[in-house]
Amino acid sequence: MKRWSVPRDQRQLRQSVLLLRTSFEAMQHSIAPRLEDPLPCWLDTGTLSMLAGELARVSETAKSTLPPEAHTRLCLAANQCELLLKQCPGVLSSAFCHRQLGAIVLTLNAVLLSAAAPAPKKRWFWSS
């Protein structure tokens, strides 16, 4: 079995993305009991704002560290979070907030999957 080493900065970035995904999942699960509630969702905008800032920072850092596909998805997650933050608090239903947080979690899962694969080695045209 062949093993590859992951650079330290890429490993730290992956851990940051994992922590962000776990945090968004926790927020999503916290509003799950209110999905049938017709009242607007009141997310903790302080926490959401902090997560949005961290997501933007990680996205900027990932530009030179992660593969382009993972970086693009990370930017998408940051944009989704910013959009959700602009609509909070009290404008959206609990079900809509739950779906938006789920979309962010799915995007971060895709980032983790695409960042886990080793970068393909460059091959030159004269190599076999």
Side-chain angles (χ1 to χ4, degrees), residues 59 62 66-79 107 111 114:
S59 177
L66 293 181
E69 180 183 339
H71 178 252
T72 301
R73 288 182 174 164
L74 202 49
C75 289
L76 175 63
N79 288 339
T107 305
V111 170
S114 59

Side-chain angles (χ1 to χ4, degrees), residues 20-21 23-29 31-32 35 41 43 48 51 55 73 76-88 91-109:
L20 283 165
R21 187 206 54 196
S23 299
F24 281 109
E25 279 180 338
M27 287 187 86
Q28 184 185 27
H29 291 304
I31 62 171
L35 287 178
C41 176
L43 282 175
L48 189 58
L51 290 174
L55 195 50
R73 288 182 174 164
L76 175 63
N79 288 339
Q80 290 170 322
C81 185
E82 281 296 323
L83 179 63
L84 182 60
L85 188 59
K86 287 179 182 177
Q87 296 172 334
C88 282
V91 176
L92 307 171
S93 70
S94 294
F96 187 81
C97 286
H98 192 269
R99 283 192 306 272
Q100 289 297 104
L101 290 167
I104 294 169
V105 168
L106 285 175
T107 305
L108 291 174
N109 279 337

